[in-house]
Amino acid sequence: MSQDLGDVHLRLDPDDVGIQDADSLLKAIRTDVRYHEAVHGCLNCGVCSGSCPSHRFFDYSPRVVVQTVLSGDAEAVKDMMDEYIWACAQCYTCAMRCPLQNSPGGLVMIMREVAVWRGMEAVHRLLKPYGRVLLKVLSLGNQLTPDMIQPDFFPDWGPKIPWSSTDLAIKRKAIPVYTLQVTTSAWRVSPETSYELYTIYEETGVFKLIEQIDPNLYEVVADMVEEVRDTVDSAQ
Amino acid sequence: MATELRTTGWDFVTTKVDKRAIQRQNPDDPREHLRELEARGEVKIIPITEENQPIEVETLLGRTKLIPTTKLWHHKSCGQCGNIPGYPTSIIWLMNRLGLEYLDETHQTSCTAWNYHGSGTSNLVALASVAVRNWHRAYETGYFPLIHCGTSFGNYKEIRNLLVEHKELRDEVRRIMAKVGRELVIPQEIVHYSEWLHVLRKRVAALKVYDASQVVTTVHPACHVWKMIPDDVIYDREIYGGERPAPTTAILLELGAKVRDYSTWYDCCGFGFRHILTEREFSRSFSLERKIKVMVEEAQSDVAITQDTGCTTTLDKNQWIGKAHGYHYDLPVMADVQFAALLAGADPYKVVQLQWHTAGWENLLDKIGIDWRASKKRYEAYLEELKNGAVPEQLYLAPND
Ligand code: SF4
Ligand code: SF4
């Protein structure tokens, strides 16, 4: 169930995946509870773009994002959600510098969330390389784990990376902090903690969203969830 | 660095740096509203008490912030623990040296904000619930949460502010917390480890056993630490005349190192949340072109000092590939707390765990006079012992959780 508060919403409904007409996407952006904190108008001054790292390296400008959303041109906004806004590095330099205290980076985040929660085509392509992070964050609540640093994935990180993945269990044991002496999570996470996290994901629609946009990933996560829940339930 | 003291540092920042002078009114202080909410029984505040031996500092707008120094709950960072293990280990090692009390346990999740910023596969209610669940866990142990990661720190400040502003969000988080047997609690302050290090800098510097006076450092202030909710960030008139955040620069100066300015100090590192995984050519180009190159060529830096997770990784890991384009930099990258631990005599391998860093740090340690070769030998022997079944050494004995 979406949290519809009349003019604003706290989150989108995973059952709305597939509703992708441009007007409804723009409405979902503008009714996010954070929207009016992210956008207070726009002077079109370009201060945000002037210090934007992504503007320097991509065909991307936070000024254009803000202007387009404010213009009300729903089709143009929808176009941006496909690829354009994903160039943002989420550094919030723009928010720090905007004379109107806008947060173009915050607006981009709202737009990304809408793109994902409406299951836009681009999202499948964009999330593909994210599978391992998603698996960890959904099953453990950790986002990066020692066993993710593999030379196959990071050949450009140089010749020391193979060292990091060889004899990993022993090298992790050699870190003198008990909670860190593991390889498949960043630290030992108690099953009770994961159990609580799953309740949060269920209650906020996150699990349902993943089931809709990536059924294969969801299947793997669901198995892990069941296992942890069985462990905790039987211990109680 | 600039020695000229600008007595009107805050004015300079708000007029020249973030250009907010156009907005004449300062933002509300969410902590005041938090107290009102507590008085109405809407939330419980996790208090900073005498037991936490707090130290008061000034933030961007001249407001005060209380930084607890002991009885702390380690809110660990997945990127640090997973990829830069010497980061949390150095924090714990320094806390031991200072005789401080803390709790490091397994009942914590990540803030999940890296994933959110990168993929959008979460939402405000989920982020707020994850934050409050972690806060509540700290609350029930009686320890005050110390946030290791800059993104968690920025995200938690944002969540705190949104919880204070929106009753609907509080109601929803309270409903979800009830399902996991918890309550809506919010810390009196959201505190980053770099702030803890900052307020204890004199005590940390007193532990120093090596001379760093010939070491030229350059500081990379982390975006999510100081650009998200900037009014909550510590500024000090003694540090760049109050024109830049004080943490990290101040501890380096206290340790006796040189801190040299460079023109792109303001830029991000190129991490980008998604980019480090999926748009790597951006992360590589940005970190090399806008940070490493400038730190080396403008400042002749011996070491880049960081205060956050993704930046340490991005700046460190992206140097080697630069050789393909004629960038032959090999600038060591480490967190302020790792640098402080090294100077205080922490073992470079066993404690500071520099072996996981990819840019060469050996020359830096030679310059300081730290015998890393002996440390390496000890470490390699220790790995063999562990392979043969030795019980791992611990800096801290975790309670049975
Ligand atoms: S948050 Fe995004 S739009 Fe804003 S400055 Fe950073 S990269 Fe640019
Ligand atoms: S800095 Fe602010 S006002 Fe200027 S173009 Fe960007 S969003 Fe608009």
Side-chain angles (χ1 to χ4, degrees):
Chain A
M1 194 189 74
S2 74
Q3 300 295 309
D4 196 350
L5 310 168
D7 289 345
V8 291
H9 65 83
L10 289 176
R11 66 175 177 86
L12 297 172
D13 190 334
D15 283 335
D16 289 347
V17 163
I19 300 180
Q20 293 170 11
D21 66 281
D23 287 331
S24 95
L25 295 174
L26 182 58
K27 182 169 179 236
I29 293 166
R30 286 181 166 176
T31 52
D32 187 292
V33 75
R34 298 159 295 181
Y35 177 78
H36 290 291
E37 287 170 32
V39 183
H40 307 110
C42 178
L43 303 169
N44 213 359
C45 64
V47 164
C48 51
S49 300
S51 45
C52 168
S54 295
H55 180 60
R56 198 173 279 278
F57 282 82
F58 291 107
D59 174 18
Y60 169 78
S61 157
R63 178 189 63 78
V64 173
V65 176
V66 175
Q67 284 285 320
T68 308
V69 170
L70 282 174
S71 78
D73 182 343
E75 287 297 338
V77 172
K78 184 178 177 181
D79 276 355
M80 276 188 155
M81 290 161 79
D82 185 50
E83 179 112 31
Y84 195 84
I85 56 163
W86 296 87
C88 166
Q90 287 293 292
C91 68
Y92 292 85
T93 309
C94 52
M96 177 94 193
R97 289 177 56 83
C98 170
L100 281 185
Q101 288 188 296
N102 289 339
S103 174
L107 175 62
V108 163
M109 207 48 247
I110 294 171
M111 294 166 79
R112 285 183 181 181
E113 196 179 312
V114 172
V116 172
W117 286 73
R118 288 295 172 83
M120 287 178 73
E121 186 48 42
V123 167
H124 300 99
R125 183 181 73 243
L126 292 159
L127 292 187
K128 216 162 185 238
Y130 234 85
R132 286 187 325 145
V133 173
L134 277 175
L135 178 63
K136 294 285 186 185
V137 80
L138 292 168
S139 59
L140 274 173
N142 272 185
Q143 304 165 110
L144 187 139
T145 61
D147 61 352
M148 284 164 72
I149 310 296
Q150 298 288 341
D152 299 359
F153 293 106
F154 299 100
D156 51 338
W157 283 7
K160 288 190 185 167
I161 294 303
W163 179 91
S164 307
S165 56
T166 319
D167 284 338
L168 184 61
I170 292 294
K171 286 170 186 159
R172 293 293 297 186
K173 263 193 194 162
I175 300 164
V177 177
Y178 169 78
T179 48
L180 270 58
Q181 291 166 354
V182 281
T183 59
T184 55
S185 55
W187 60 83
R188 294 174 207 269
V189 181
S190 69
E192 297 80 8
T193 298
S194 298
Y195 197 117
E196 291 180 22
L197 183 73
Y198 302 153
T199 305
I200 291 172
Y201 285 152
E202 258 164 15
E203 293 296 323
T204 54
V206 172
F207 274 161
K208 194 152 190 200
L209 169 81
I210 302 298
E211 190 178 4
Q212 309 251 29
I213 62 171
D214 193 342
N216 293 337
L217 174 65
Y218 181 72
E219 216 173 288
V220 180
V221 172
D223 283 348
M224 294 171 96
V225 169
E226 202 181 299
E227 208 175 298
V228 169
R229 282 188 164 156
D230 284 349
T231 312
V232 174
D233 288 340
S234 58
Q236 284 168 353
Chain B
M1 70 175 278
T3 46
E4 189 188 326
L5 202 87
R6 256 182 240 261
T7 49
T8 55
W10 283 276
D11 291 344
F12 178 84
V13 170
T14 50
T15 54
K16 295 282 196 296
V17 180
D18 74 3
K19 301 199 189 297
R20 285 170 188 220
I22 201 167
Q23 188 101 5
R24 290 280 168 210
Q25 225 177 332
N26 283 337
D28 270 4
D29 188 343
R31 298 167 305 176
E32 278 173 24
H33 297 296
L34 190 55
R35 284 192 286 273
E36 290 160 18
L37 289 173
E38 188 184 45
R40 293 210 303 267
E42 275 232 45
V43 300
K44 279 186 182 168
I45 296 178
I46 308 178
I48 295 170
T49 67
E50 282 302 309
E51 265 194 312
N52 300 115
Q53 296 174 28
I55 294 176
E56 195 173 89
V57 283
E58 234 177 307
T59 55
L60 176 65
L61 300 169
R63 293 173 182 159
T64 55
K65 181 171 183 180
L66 268 190
I67 307 297
T69 61
T70 188
K71 200 135 197 245
L72 297 164
W73 188 79
H74 286 294
H75 183 291
K76 297 181 286 295
S77 149
C78 45
Q80 290 172 16
C81 293
N83 195 23
I84 325 159
Y87 207 140
T89 307
S90 296
I91 296 176
I92 286 175
W93 186 85
L94 281 172
M95 285 194 175
N96 286 356
R97 290 295 311 276
L98 295 171
L100 303 176
E101 202 190 335
Y102 58 84
L103 184 63
D104 175 40
E105 56 161 16
T106 62
H107 303 304
Q108 182 216 329
T109 69
S110 303
C111 63
T112 71
W114 172 31
N115 173 60
Y116 178 68
H117 287 284
S119 80
T121 51
S122 187
N123 57 42
L124 173 59
V125 186
L127 287 169
S129 300
V130 166
V132 174
R133 201 212 70 82
N134 280 329
W135 294 339
H136 187 268
R137 173 58 197 167
Y139 172 72
E140 68 184 0
T141 65
Y143 288 74
F144 194 87
L146 181 72
I147 317 294
H148 290 198
C149 184
T151 285
S152 307
F153 175 61
N155 173 250
Y156 282 3
K157 288 200 284 188
E158 207 167 65
I159 295 293
R160 184 259 320 262
N161 291 7
L162 288 162
L163 280 166
V164 165
E165 281 164 36
H166 300 288
K167 180 176 183 310
E168 299 82 1
L169 182 60
R170 291 195 296 277
D171 290 345
E172 187 57 0
V173 171
R174 201 180 295 109
R175 180 186 74 77
I176 294 169
M177 286 304 107
K179 296 219 166 210
V180 297
R182 299 192 181 276
E183 296 171 279
L184 174 53
V185 296
I186 300 178
Q188 181 180 336
E189 303 277 8
I190 308 291
V191 182
H192 189 233
Y193 90 85
S194 68
E195 300 179 311
W196 165 86
L197 186 65
H198 176 74
V199 298
L200 289 182
R201 62 192 182 280
K202 287 200 187 329
R203 283 175 65 187
V204 169
L207 301 173
K208 195 173 67 152
V209 292
Y210 292 103
D211 174 25
S213 58
Q214 295 312 308
V215 176
V216 176
T217 66
T218 36
V219 173
H220 169 65
C223 294
H224 285 198
V225 170
W226 75 285
K227 294 173 187 166
M228 285 177 102
I229 323 293
D231 39 289
D232 188 70
V233 173
I234 301 173
Y235 284 69
D236 182 324
R237 287 168 205 271
E238 303 289 326
I239 304 298
Y240 284 111
E243 294 171 10
R244 298 190 196 174
T248 301
T249 296
I251 175 78
L252 293 172
L253 292 173
E254 200 69 47
L255 288 165
K258 292 189 171 77
V259 180
R260 208 168 276 168
D261 198 5
Y262 62 105
S263 58
T264 55
W265 70 273
Y266 199 97
D267 264 325
C268 88
C269 63
F271 178 62
F273 299 83
R274 307 179 55 243
H275 303 58
I276 191 75
L277 292 174
T278 65
E279 313 279 348
R280 297 254 285 283
E281 57 292 353
F282 167 82
S283 293
R284 295 196 290 251
S285 306
F286 199 87
S287 61
L288 275 168
E289 191 61 40
R290 296 289 296 180
K291 300 300 290 198
I292 300 295
K293 179 182 173 185
V294 190
M295 287 167 158
V296 173
E297 293 194 355
E298 270 185 21
Q300 287 83 45
S301 178
D302 293 315
V303 57
I305 301 291
T306 56
Q307 53 180 205
D308 192 9
T309 317
C311 337
T312 312
T313 298
T314 307
L315 297 174
D316 180 44
K317 300 284 189 273
N318 285 302
Q319 294 186 45
W320 177 82
I321 189 69
K323 294 179 200 298
H325 286 278
Y327 294 89
H328 292 281
Y329 304 117
D330 199 17
L331 180 66
V333 181
M334 65 184 74
D336 47 9
V337 74
Q338 289 177 290
F339 188 71
L342 278 176
L343 293 182
D347 190 306
Y349 276 78
K350 271 192 176 176
V351 174
V352 188
Q353 299 273 325
L354 287 175
Q355 60 274 26
W356 301 89
H357 297 224
T358 55
W361 40 265
E362 291 84 350
N363 291 343
L364 170 72
L365 268 59
D366 282 340
K367 187 168 185 177
I368 301 173
I370 297 172
D371 187 356
W372 58 269
R373 293 169 187 85
S375 165
K376 185 179 183 185
K377 273 198 193 123
R378 284 195 299 273
Y379 177 72
E380 283 169 351
Y382 181 47
L383 290 182
E384 285 307 311
E385 286 169 29
L386 289 172
K387 276 185 197 162
N388 293 326
V391 178
E393 293 170 17
Q394 311 288 357
L395 285 174
Y396 168 71
L397 288 178
N400 290 334
D401 54 74

